[in-house]
Amino acid sequence: MSILSVNNLSKNYGQIKALQDVSFSVPKGSVFGILGPNGSGKTTLLSIITSILKPTAGSYTLFDEEPSDSHRRRMGTLLETPNFYHYLSAVQNLSISSAIKEHGAEDIDKVIEIVGLAHRKKSAFSTYSLGMKQRLAIGAAILGNPEVLIFDEPTNGLDPVGIAEIRTLIKELAKQGKTIIMASHLLDEVEKVCTHVAILKQGKLIASGHVNDIFVTDD
């Protein structure tokens, strides 16, 4: 089963071609990296598959079917900088997130354990490190136990400790059977975390496939 299939997807902003005839498939159970420098079209692509943007041309399917709201409820997303109430705790912020999603309230304590914030669950968000804030954002994404997680640059702006924590968390979520689609501009991150990759450059697909086939190294 393909969780996501992108078929000749294009997106133009006037004369700017953000995506040009991009096609690839995301296998179920994979950690799929969308790799490319800033301006390569990664965020545009994720915005299309999460219905924030409409493509200029092409199409995509979710779970081998035409996209629908029911499919999107099976997905958790983190596409922007974490945006929580600074004076509220992790529990309070996740309660608000679950109310917005209209599901997942029963998962809050479990989610806080998963993202490693149980010892600070009653602390104000403003007292968290950047890595802790990002882990809480991932916690909001996994409320309701979605099958698929979509992350846009999940380690962006973090220090080495925070980067290591987020990468470990992503690997743990993958072990639980989640399919994870993540955009990154870091080759090292994709090599260490992802099983599959699509490489974008100036809106064009350069290569896609299993990480071991794309990044061939000499012994």
Side-chain angles (χ1 to χ4, degrees):
M1 174 192 237
S2 291
I3 295 297
L4 167 69
S5 290
V6 174
N7 305 300
N8 301 115
L9 210 60
S10 296
K11 178 63 178 179
N12 300 338
Y13 297 99
Q15 298 299 313
I16 299 173
K17 297 181 178 180
L19 290 175
Q20 302 180 56
D21 296 317
V22 173
S23 300
F24 62 81
S25 293
V26 176
K28 183 177 180 180
S30 64
V31 182
F32 195 100
I34 301 173
L35 175 66
N38 292 335
S40 61
K42 304 187 301 297
T43 299
T44 296
L45 179 59
L46 294 185
S47 296
I48 289 172
I49 65 177
T50 54
S51 294
I52 296 171
L53 294 175
K54 291 185 178 181
T56 302
S59 62
Y60 66 97
T61 60
L62 296 173
F63 305 96
D64 290 329
E65 297 176 353
E66 288 297 311
S68 68
D69 289 342
S70 64
H71 293 129
R72 294 186 183 93
R73 281 193 288 271
R74 296 161 67 183
M75 303 163 70
T77 62
L78 171 56
L79 299 185
E80 298 176 347
T81 302
N83 188 18
F84 294 106
Y85 291 100
H86 285 209
Y87 54 89
L88 296 182
S89 67
V91 172
Q92 292 168 320
N93 271 301
L94 290 185
S95 295
I96 292 170
S97 295
S98 65
I100 292 170
K101 287 186 171 189
E102 299 182 343
H103 64 88
E106 68 280 2
D107 299 332
I108 290 174
D109 286 339
K110 180 181 178 181
V111 162
I112 288 174
E113 288 281 353
I114 290 171
V115 300
L117 292 175
H119 65 300
R120 294 289 301 278
K121 68 180 183 180
K122 295 184 179 180
S123 300
F125 180 75
S126 60
T127 67
Y128 285 5
S129 67
L130 286 176
M132 293 170 70
K133 290 176 179 177
Q134 196 73 347
R135 280 188 275 147
L136 184 61
I138 291 175
I142 63 178
L143 284 172
N145 195 28
E147 299 170 50
V148 181
L149 296 169
I150 300 177
F151 300 142
D152 189 5
E153 301 279 4
T155 62
N156 201 29
L158 301 184
D159 62 19
V161 173
I163 289 171
E165 289 176 347
I166 297 300
R167 289 179 180 177
T168 298
L169 177 56
I170 289 172
K171 289 178 182 178
E172 289 300 317
L173 291 169
K175 287 180 182 177
Q176 295 174 18
K178 309 288 187 189
T179 301
I180 299 171
I181 303 169
M182 54 177 281
S184 178
H185 65 280
L186 301 173
L187 173 60
D188 176 66
E189 183 160 82
V190 170
E191 287 183 313
K192 288 181 176 178
V193 176
C194 299
T195 59
H196 296 72
V197 65
I199 303 174
L200 296 179
K201 183 178 181 181
Q202 296 180 335
K204 295 180 179 179
L205 182 71
I206 304 301
S208 67
H210 197 283
V211 165
N212 293 340
D213 296 329
I214 301 298
F215 303 127
V216 179
T217 57
D218 296 327
D219 293 332

